[in-house]
Amino acid sequence: MSDMVDKKALSRRSFLRKGAIGGSAAAATTLAAPAVLAQAPIVVKMQTSWGASNIWDEFAKDYATRVNEMSGGRMTVDVLPAGAVVAAFQVLDAVNDGVLDAAHSVPVYWYGKNKAASLFGTGPVFGGSATTMLSWFYEGGGQELYNELTQDIMGLDIVGYLGFPMFAQPFGWFKEEVNTAADLNGFKYRTVGLAADLLQSMGMSVAQLPGGEIVPAMERGVIDAFEFNNPSSDRDFGAQDVAKNYYLSSYHQASESFEFLFNRGFLEDLDPDLQAILKYSVEAVSTANTAKAMRRYSSDLRWLQEEAGVTVHRTSPDILNAQIAAWDQLIPTLEEDPFMKKTLDSQREWVEQVTFYELMNAPDYALAYEHYFPGKLKM
């Protein structure tokens, strides 16, 4: 089925292109050819891993807007929510098979196919932020390793780019306070990827669920604590209705970015300038998404505190230290896989060099914030 779908997609694109060429030739020999024969826009069928009400669906549409405008009407991105064609965790297969032309997701959602997926955003935190690790992807050899994993090791017919360095993900939502690592023992908790391995080793029982299934699972008692990603997404699906203690800051997923997936046959059949527009629009929307996230995440966090009765905490140093210790125990088992060891070595080398500069160069922003807005950071 995969080959058949790919051939159909290729034939469709080739037909459109040849039709345009044929139309041009006909126009040269036919007096006053009507303008309505102009080629219709190429439609890029892109499904996300997010529900239509999630802010991330809006982020994907921001990408589509940039592609549509920069292509001058020659190409349009049709953004579909999770479930429109396939389930949230199945977009990689759908893009590989040509059922979708593209997807907007995160690598950790195909962790079940290869654990190394989690290293491209949700792996061990050596001290680098999401911006540090997105820079590693483009300037530190990460993209070459990603291509090796997806195209060579897994044999996938996809091309992927990362964009929008996410703010560190909150530790999440709890019905009661959790102040020490010992308090976590026995919780039925939702997370994804290697974070599941990490937190299971800290005494939690972990379920890996798409975002849209979290609150229903909480209501049924399948889980009793969870994280997803950010205040806006959490508010959108009603996290505040099932728990009132919200813990910001964590090392379980602190360096993730969006993944923009494309079927390789579809992408390579486009004109070079259209390929470039799809590629570099990832960079353009990364900036736009970051700016929008700053405004919306902070606004929604304030709403959760002031309107929804949520108590916002910073995760305690005891829990953060326990997470680092748990990563220390997990990393040697990951490095038994040669590809994962090579990737982790590359990330450590990058973080050691780049984060030294970042941390040495950064002034104490908290000091200045406390000066001008005294008392707000004391929670």
Side-chain angles (χ1 to χ4, degrees):
M1 177 181 177
S2 174
D3 290 341
M4 181 176 68
V5 173
D6 286 345
K7 288 174 182 175
K8 285 182 179 178
L10 181 60
S11 298
R12 177 166 63 98
R13 303 304 171 193
S14 298
F15 173 78
L16 287 172
R17 187 168 299 154
K18 290 173 183 175
I21 295 171
S24 298
T29 58
T30 303
L31 184 63
V36 294
L37 293 180
Q39 180 179 339
I42 294 172
V43 177
V44 183
K45 186 165 66 174
M46 169 183 273
Q47 187 192 295
T48 77
S49 291
W50 334 119
S53 64
N54 193 316
I55 187 174
W56 287 358
D57 183 78
E58 185 178 331
F59 283 0
K61 289 173 180 173
D62 289 339
Y63 172 78
T65 297
R66 281 150 182 78
V67 171
N68 299 350
E69 292 185 8
M70 285 192 278
S71 68
R74 293 165 59 207
M75 183 164 56
T76 182
V77 179
D78 183 17
V79 177
L80 305 168
V85 180
V86 296
F89 283 8
Q90 296 173 350
V91 294
L92 177 71
D93 286 337
V95 173
N96 179 62
D97 293 340
V99 175
L100 295 170
D101 302 319
H104 184 270
S105 190
V106 283
V108 71
Y109 276 11
W110 45 274
Y111 161 90
K113 295 182 176 296
N114 194 307
K115 279 195 173 187
S118 205
L119 299 184
F120 295 91
T122 55
V125 178
F126 300 117
S129 67
T131 299
T132 310
M133 299 317 295
L134 183 60
S135 300
W136 166 77
F137 183 81
Y138 286 107
E139 291 289 335
Q143 188 166 31
E144 291 75 14
L145 289 163
Y146 174 93
N147 291 342
E148 179 181 347
L149 174 64
T150 56
Q151 297 175 4
D152 301 337
I153 295 174
M154 299 176 68
L156 298 172
D157 194 30
I158 63 101
V159 176
Y161 305 104
L162 299 187
F164 175 54
M166 298 179 186
F167 303 98
Q169 297 184 30
F171 191 40
W173 295 83
F174 295 80
K175 294 181 179 179
E176 307 294 337
E177 290 189 13
V178 288
N179 298 309
T180 69
D183 293 340
L184 305 178
N185 194 51
F187 271 101
K188 294 178 291 184
Y189 181 82
R190 180 273 179 194
T191 190
V192 289
L194 285 174
D197 300 44
L198 179 82
L199 295 169
Q200 281 178 178
S201 74
M202 294 175 64
M204 302 177 104
S205 174
V206 177
Q208 303 204 39
L209 303 170
E213 297 180 19
I214 294 173
V215 167
M218 191 82 165
E219 292 172 334
R220 298 194 312 270
V222 175
I223 56 174
D224 51 28
F226 61 93
E227 63 81 36
F228 178 68
N229 186 276
N230 65 81
S232 296
S233 294
D234 292 353
R235 173 187 174 176
D236 288 344
F237 61 63
Q240 66 278 1
D241 297 330
V242 292
K244 293 296 185 183
N245 288 281
Y246 191 26
Y247 284 83
L248 302 184
S249 80
S250 179
Y251 289 127
H252 75 288
Q253 287 179 283
S255 56
E256 191 169 19
S257 296
F258 285 141
E259 179 180 43
F260 296 75
L261 287 168
F262 299 93
N263 177 275
R264 181 159 55 177
F266 167 81
L267 188 67
E268 292 177 353
D269 195 45
L270 296 173
D271 289 338
D273 64 324
L274 296 183
Q275 292 184 45
I277 287 170
L278 288 177
K279 175 181 178 180
Y280 293 116
S281 289
V282 174
E283 295 182 3
V285 84
S286 186
T287 299
N289 288 169
T290 298
K292 181 173 287 186
M294 284 187 166
R295 176 174 61 85
R296 294 276 292 277
Y297 290 6
S298 60
S299 176
D300 285 328
L301 181 64
R302 176 177 289 178
W303 182 90
L304 290 168
Q305 290 178 279
E306 297 179 357
E307 304 296 330
V310 172
T311 301
V312 175
H313 311 263
R314 278 185 61 83
T315 302
S316 72
D318 186 78
I319 293 174
L320 293 175
N321 284 324
Q323 288 179 345
I324 293 174
W327 276 125
D328 285 345
Q329 296 299 311
L330 183 57
I331 288 170
T333 67
L334 302 178
E335 292 184 331
E336 293 173 5
D337 178 277
F339 175 81
M340 294 184 82
K341 184 177 189 316
K342 178 168 64 172
T343 302
L344 287 165
D345 283 344
S346 175
Q347 291 178 339
R348 273 188 293 253
E349 182 180 0
W350 178 263
V351 171
E352 182 180 14
Q353 172 183 318
V354 172
T355 302
F356 174 80
Y357 165 71
E358 289 181 301
L359 294 176
M360 289 294 288
N361 186 63
D364 188 340
Y365 291 109
L367 180 66
Y369 186 90
E370 178 64 24
H371 175 78
Y372 288 104
F373 311 101
K376 292 187 70 70
L377 294 177
K378 293 181 174 62
M379 294 181 180

PDB file of all heavy atoms in Angstrom, residues 370 374-379:
ATOM      1  N   GLU A 370      13.333  40.812  40.634  1.00  0.00           N
ATOM      2  CA  GLU A 370      12.957  40.980  42.039  1.00  0.00           C
ATOM      3  C   GLU A 370      13.080  42.441  42.468  1.00  0.00           C
ATOM      4  O   GLU A 370      12.291  42.938  43.279  1.00  0.00           O
ATOM      5  CB  GLU A 370      13.842  40.087  42.922  1.00  0.00           C
ATOM      6  CG  GLU A 370      13.582  40.190  44.415  1.00  0.00           C
ATOM      7  CD  GLU A 370      12.190  39.730  44.821  1.00  0.00           C
ATOM      8  OE1 GLU A 370      11.581  38.925  44.082  1.00  0.00           O
ATOM      9  OE2 GLU A 370      11.713  40.181  45.883  1.00  0.00           O
ATOM     10  N   PRO A 374       9.145  43.326  43.376  1.00  0.00           N
ATOM     11  CA  PRO A 374       9.515  42.612  44.590  1.00  0.00           C
ATOM     12  C   PRO A 374       8.403  41.688  45.104  1.00  0.00           C
ATOM     13  O   PRO A 374       7.224  42.041  45.076  1.00  0.00           O
ATOM     14  CB  PRO A 374       9.797  43.732  45.579  1.00  0.00           C
ATOM     15  CG  PRO A 374       9.115  44.945  45.036  1.00  0.00           C
ATOM     16  CD  PRO A 374       9.140  44.793  43.555  1.00  0.00           C
ATOM     17  N   GLY A 375       8.832  40.508  45.525  1.00  0.00           N
ATOM     18  CA  GLY A 375       7.932  39.558  46.170  1.00  0.00           C
ATOM     19  C   GLY A 375       7.204  38.607  45.251  1.00  0.00           C
ATOM     20  O   GLY A 375       6.663  37.596  45.705  1.00  0.00           O
ATOM     21  N   LYS A 376       7.179  38.880  43.947  1.00  0.00           N
ATOM     22  CA  LYS A 376       6.387  38.031  43.046  1.00  0.00           C
ATOM     23  C   LYS A 376       6.981  36.637  42.876  1.00  0.00           C
ATOM     24  O   LYS A 376       6.256  35.676  42.603  1.00  0.00           O
ATOM     25  CB  LYS A 376       6.213  38.701  41.674  1.00  0.00           C
ATOM     26  CG  LYS A 376       5.338  39.943  41.716  1.00  0.00           C
ATOM     27  CD  LYS A 376       5.063  40.477  40.320  1.00  0.00           C
ATOM     28  CE  LYS A 376       4.149  39.565  39.528  1.00  0.00           C
ATOM     29  NZ  LYS A 376       2.775  39.558  40.038  1.00  0.00           N
ATOM     30  N   LEU A 377       8.289  36.518  42.970  1.00  0.00           N
ATOM     31  CA  LEU A 377       8.921  35.215  42.784  1.00  0.00           C
ATOM     32  C   LEU A 377       8.834  34.334  44.028  1.00  0.00           C
ATOM     33  O   LEU A 377       9.156  33.146  43.951  1.00  0.00           O
ATOM     34  CB  LEU A 377      10.391  35.378  42.383  1.00  0.00           C
ATOM     35  CG  LEU A 377      10.628  36.020  41.019  1.00  0.00           C
ATOM     36  CD1 LEU A 377      12.133  36.192  40.784  1.00  0.00           C
ATOM     37  CD2 LEU A 377      10.019  35.174  39.908  1.00  0.00           C
ATOM     38  N   LYS A 378       8.421  34.871  45.132  1.00  0.00           N
ATOM     39  CA  LYS A 378       8.337  34.080  46.376  1.00  0.00           C
ATOM     40  C   LYS A 378       6.985  33.384  46.401  1.00  0.00           C
ATOM     41  O   LYS A 378       5.946  33.985  46.633  1.00  0.00           O
ATOM     42  CB  LYS A 378       8.494  34.993  47.589  1.00  0.00           C
ATOM     43  CG  LYS A 378       9.887  35.599  47.718  1.00  0.00           C
ATOM     44  CD  LYS A 378       9.991  36.484  48.944  1.00  0.00           C
ATOM     45  CE  LYS A 378      11.408  36.963  49.166  1.00  0.00           C
ATOM     46  NZ  LYS A 378      11.904  37.784  48.055  1.00  0.00           N
ATOM     47  N   MET A 379       7.026  32.072  46.143  1.00  0.00           N
ATOM     48  CA  MET A 379       5.793  31.293  46.099  1.00  0.00           C
ATOM     49  C   MET A 379       5.839  30.193  47.155  1.00  0.00           C
ATOM     50  O   MET A 379       6.856  29.623  47.403  1.00  0.00           O
ATOM     51  CB  MET A 379       5.604  30.649  44.719  1.00  0.00           C
ATOM     52  CG  MET A 379       5.376  31.675  43.599  1.00  0.00           C
ATOM     53  SD  MET A 379       5.131  30.868  42.046  1.00  0.00           S
ATOM     54  CE  MET A 379       4.893  32.274  40.972  1.00  0.00           C
TER      55      MET A 379
END
